[in-house]
Amino acid sequence: MKRKVRLANLHVYQKVILIFILLIVPLLLINLRMNTTGASFIKKEYTNSINSNVKFYSRQLNDQIAFIRNLQLQFMNDSDLQKLSFIGKRLEGYEQFQLVNRVRERLLLIQNSSEFLVNSGVYVKSLEKTFSVRAGIKDLPNAEYEAIASYRESDQTQPFYSKGGRLYFIASSNNGRIVSYMEISKPKLEETLRRFVENYEDSGAALTNDDFTTTIAVKMDENIFNQIQQHIGSRGTLEDPIRTDTLRLGKHKYLITSSGIEMFGMTIFTYINQNEVLGPIRTFNFWYIILSTVSVGVLVVFSFSVNVMIHRPLKRLIQAFKILETDNLNISIRPQGDIEFGYLYRSFDRMVDKLRGSIQENYEQKIALQHSELKQLQSQINPHFLYNSFFNIYMISRSGDAENAATLAQRLGSYYQFITRSGSDEVTLEQEYRHAVDYCDIQGIRFSNRITIEAAKLPEMCKPLLVPRLLIQPVVENAFEHAFEDGMRRGNVSVTVEYEDDTLCISVEDDGDTLTDEALELLRERLADVSASEEKTGLFNVCRRIRLKFGQSSGIFVSRSALGGLKADLIIHFNEMGV
């Protein structure tokens, strides 16, 4: 139920766009699924292809080495070689020469049987000689024997042996009396390794033993090789014939394959940059991005068209209603042409015209009422105030204080002249404030012995402002009448003026002690809804006339004064005048 309510609260424009998004998002998701599926398939196929390539060449290499190893082992059991080992030293002349030549011929035959061999040789202890295809028959000591001597001394179990950058297959029999050594071609091994990675630029291959002390590398980046060494070293020995791993190095991700060469007791490692391998996937990604961009563009164009054709006309109509709600009738939304919203626009304008006429009639009635209330306010002049003022003049004159008597007479004349003269209902704020100050001066002279009055100066910028007559003086009079109604206590009255951002605030405060919180709250409520109040005098009259002239945000607002009595703020927002 809550879901339906939330959808119902959306604007028509939002609903249309939401439905369009709900329609287009599944298409994008389907394309995304197709793209990821295709990428996974291509990645899998490339991985399988690389693994097959590594498996093929590593098997070829292993078969070649196995073939060489088998020939070597067969050679170790050759009858001529065994005869040389056991009785070669006792043979003399031609017979020994024949045996040696047959052994050398067998070595040459072994070497020619494989392109991976660059030299084949054998050490015969009984003769203290080495026979090889490349060096011939050499007495000890010689370079070839020195190359295999450390192997004999270390008693290694692994037939593959590296010395001085040269690679050997070594086999011995008869308690080391015969040692066969086959030198493997390092360039040929590098050529084989190059076949693993020749089709890729950012790639490399290496053939290495378990402890990485013997390594043959092609296009191998040292940093990547170190990472492979740490990565594989942490996993221990390989159990699978072909193993695939991934290695991230900076922004690049590498596909690493490893394959064991059983006859070598070594492992081939290859690495290929996945960004290079999975290049075709970028095409899928590119076209998916294009599709997504076009979809978003379609969504934007569709949203813009709906906004222009539906949302803006509706928004214009809604804004017109909102302006109308603020009592501003100076608005018209008549369309330029005959569009779908033309009927609504014309109907709205006819309604505004009728409403404007009705309000004009009502406004004229209120103006007449305002004139009536102003006249009523003028007629409410307290005769006792006039009598008391004359009596004060008489008493001051009797006391010989001619200056105060003259001042009081002058202020009293100015006061009654302002009240009784007929003419415009509006005066400048300077004149209205001067009238209120005259009243304060009169009261100050009359009650100089017990009431202190402080009236601030009116700011120059707001003096020319036009306001209805008799706005400020009734507020000041209210402070005197209600705060000091017992006529005995001393007191203070303060009048301050502030003007900022076309807003005028005149505050009248007193330190009377008769205002209760309940009375203050009641007065605040009545002023808030002054139109419903039947009282037409004092603060209510002023508040009603201000709001009629300047709007509902203006008026009289009351609160507890910092002096302890009542604080009445007369606030006028001139920027809202006529709204």
Side-chain angles (χ1 to χ4, degrees):
M1 190 64 181
K2 291 182 179 180
R3 184 184 181 89
K4 292 182 179 180
V5 172
R6 290 176 181 174
L7 290 176
N9 290 336
L10 295 176
H11 298 294
V12 174
Y13 171 67
Q14 295 172 326
K15 290 179 180 178
V16 172
I17 299 304
L18 179 61
I19 292 174
F20 187 79
I21 292 175
L22 292 177
L23 292 176
I24 201 171
V25 165
L27 296 177
L28 293 177
L29 293 178
I30 291 173
N31 279 277
L32 178 61
R33 178 62 178 174
M34 292 173 61
N35 184 66
T36 54
T37 302
S40 299
F41 175 77
I42 293 175
K43 183 177 180 180
K44 183 178 179 180
E45 289 300 312
Y46 266 113
T47 303
N48 291 339
S49 175
I50 293 171
N51 287 343
S52 298
N53 189 47
V54 172
K55 187 176 181 180
F56 173 76
Y57 285 113
S58 61
R59 181 175 295 174
Q60 273 196 335
L61 180 60
N62 190 71
D63 291 344
Q64 284 289 333
I65 300 303
F67 176 72
I68 293 172
R69 182 61 172 169
N70 288 333
L71 290 178
Q72 185 181 37
L73 296 178
Q74 291 175 11
F75 172 70
M76 295 295 291
N77 295 320
D78 183 76
S79 59
D80 293 333
L81 180 61
Q82 292 292 330
K83 190 174 182 180
L84 278 176
S85 174
F86 285 106
I87 62 173
K89 195 171 184 179
R90 294 189 297 231
L91 296 176
E92 295 181 0
Y94 182 72
E95 187 177 2
Q96 185 186 53
F97 176 75
Q98 284 184 321
L99 287 176
V100 170
N101 279 340
R102 285 199 292 269
V103 169
R104 287 190 63 194
E105 289 174 359
R106 184 68 182 273
L107 288 175
L108 181 60
L109 182 63
I110 292 174
Q111 180 169 329
N112 292 334
S113 66
S114 176
E115 58 185 0
F116 283 89
L117 288 174
V118 294
N119 188 28
S120 300
V122 63
Y123 160 71
V124 180
K125 185 177 181 180
S126 62
L127 299 177
E128 293 296 317
K129 297 178 183 293
T130 59
F131 310 148
S132 70
V133 174
R134 184 166 57 186
I137 303 172
K138 293 287 185 180
D139 294 326
L140 298 186
N142 59 57
E144 291 188 1
Y145 178 76
E146 291 177 358
I148 65 172
S150 58
Y151 176 84
R152 296 180 65 246
E153 295 171 357
S154 63
D155 193 22
Q156 296 186 24
T157 58
Q158 189 65 250
F160 190 70
Y161 173 67
S162 175
K163 179 68 174 180
R166 300 169 71 176
L167 308 175
Y168 298 92
F169 254 129
I170 298 179
S172 63
S173 64
N174 300 342
N175 295 322
R177 297 175 63 86
I178 301 175
V179 178
S180 172
Y181 52 94
M182 307 289 182
E183 184 176 351
I184 307 298
S185 173
K186 189 174 181 180
K188 190 62 181 180
L189 289 177
E190 291 176 347
E191 179 185 346
T192 302
L193 292 177
R194 192 170 287 107
R195 294 175 184 173
F196 289 86
V197 292
E198 61 185 353
N199 296 324
Y200 307 100
E201 183 177 350
D202 188 6
S203 60
L207 177 65
T208 180
N209 56 1
D210 291 341
D211 56 2
F212 293 87
T213 56
T214 300
T215 301
I216 303 171
V218 175
K219 297 173 58 178
M220 179 65 72
D221 182 272
E222 184 177 355
N223 189 25
I224 298 177
F225 183 70
N226 291 335
Q227 293 294 325
I228 293 176
Q229 181 176 349
Q230 296 175 8
H231 183 69
I232 301 301
S234 63
R235 278 181 32 217
T237 58
L238 294 169
E239 298 178 357
D240 301 330
I242 299 292
R243 186 109 179 208
T244 303
D245 297 279
T246 57
L247 175 65
R248 182 174 293 278
L249 191 61
K251 296 181 180 179
H252 301 286
K253 192 174 182 181
Y254 293 93
L255 181 66
I256 301 172
T257 57
S258 51
S259 176
I261 306 299
E262 183 179 356
M263 295 307 300
F264 265 150
M266 301 180 76
T267 304
I268 294 178
F269 293 100
T270 65
Y271 73 86
I272 299 174
N273 193 327
Q274 280 194 353
N275 293 332
E276 183 178 350
V277 173
L278 303 179
I281 298 180
R282 296 175 184 173
T283 304
F284 286 95
N285 293 333
F286 172 76
W287 285 110
Y288 178 74
I289 292 173
I290 293 296
L291 176 63
S292 301
T293 303
V294 171
S295 301
V296 172
V298 170
L299 178 61
V300 171
V301 173
F302 179 77
S303 303
F304 179 76
S305 61
V306 173
N307 181 49
V308 172
M309 294 185 294
I310 299 177
H311 182 63
R312 286 185 183 177
L314 282 177
K315 186 177 180 181
R316 184 182 178 191
L317 187 61
I318 292 172
Q319 288 176 343
F321 274 107
K322 288 182 178 180
I323 294 175
L324 190 62
E325 289 175 355
T326 62
D327 298 331
N328 182 5
L329 301 178
N330 297 323
I331 181 173
S332 175
I333 56 171
R334 288 184 174 89
Q336 298 294 330
D338 189 14
I339 60 175
E340 289 82 351
F341 288 88
Y343 176 77
L344 291 176
Y345 288 170
R346 287 189 290 271
S347 298
F348 176 84
D349 287 343
R350 287 194 294 268
M351 178 191 68
V352 171
D353 291 338
K354 291 181 181 179
L355 187 59
R356 190 183 294 115
S358 299
I359 291 178
Q360 183 65 28
E361 294 177 4
N362 187 34
Y363 181 75
E364 290 176 355
Q365 293 177 359
K366 286 189 176 182
I367 292 297
L369 178 62
Q370 182 180 8
H371 282 287
S372 174
E373 290 181 350
L374 180 59
K375 297 301 180 183
Q376 179 183 3
L377 191 62
Q378 290 176 319
S379 66
Q380 290 173 355
I381 299 173
N382 192 341
H384 292 288
F385 175 72
L386 178 61
Y387 301 153
N388 291 335
S389 297
F390 280 134
F391 180 74
N392 288 127
I393 294 174
Y394 168 73
M395 293 300 297
I396 293 173
S397 298
R398 286 289 303 270
S399 68
D401 189 356
E403 184 177 353
N404 274 338
T407 301
L408 180 57
Q410 190 273 333
R411 295 290 190 273
L412 190 62
S414 175
Y415 175 82
Y416 277 98
Q417 180 186 18
F418 184 84
I419 291 179
T420 58
R421 71 180 178 184
S422 59
S424 175
D425 292 335
E426 291 186 345
V427 294
T428 63
L429 183 61
E430 181 180 17
Q431 293 172 317
E432 176 64 22
Y433 192 72
R434 179 68 260 172
H435 172 66
V437 171
D438 286 342
Y439 179 80
C440 290
D441 291 343
I442 292 171
Q443 294 293 60
I445 295 173
R446 289 183 58 207
F447 303 103
S448 59
N449 60 335
R450 66 184 182 88
I451 296 179
T452 302
I453 303 172
E454 294 182 2
K457 290 184 179 182
L458 190 66
E460 290 293 332
M461 66 182 68
C462 61
K463 286 183 178 181
L465 298 174
L466 294 178
V467 295
R469 296 173 61 194
L470 294 178
L471 287 185
I472 305 174
Q473 185 271 332
V475 181
V476 177
E477 183 180 357
N478 179 78
F480 282 97
E481 288 185 358
H482 297 286
F484 312 109
E485 57 187 1
D486 58 1
M488 298 298 294
R489 66 182 294 274
R490 292 182 177 274
N492 295 279
V493 175
S494 172
V495 182
T496 58
V497 182
E498 293 182 3
Y499 182 72
E500 186 177 359
D501 297 332
D502 291 331
T503 298
L504 175 68
C505 178
I506 300 177
S507 302
V508 180
E509 301 182 64
D510 62 70
D511 61 350
D513 57 1
T514 61
L515 181 66
T516 63
D517 292 338
E518 292 77 9
L520 176 62
E521 185 62 29
L522 178 61
L523 179 60
R524 186 184 290 115
E525 292 176 358
R526 293 177 65 187
L527 286 172
D529 190 17
V530 70
S531 59
S533 176
E534 298 180 357
E535 188 170 345
K536 306 298 182 183
T537 60
L539 296 181
F540 300 101
N541 182 296
V542 173
C543 185
R544 186 181 295 107
R545 290 191 295 122
I546 291 176
R547 289 182 179 171
L548 181 63
K549 177 69 176 177
F550 299 101
Q552 293 299 312
S553 61
S554 302
I556 302 294
F557 302 91
V558 296
S559 60
R560 177 69 66 180
S561 170
L563 302 176
L566 177 68
K567 179 182 180 182
D569 293 321
L570 188 154
I571 298 177
I572 297 177
H573 298 285
F574 288 95
N575 56 351
E576 298 182 9
M577 183 176 178
V579 177

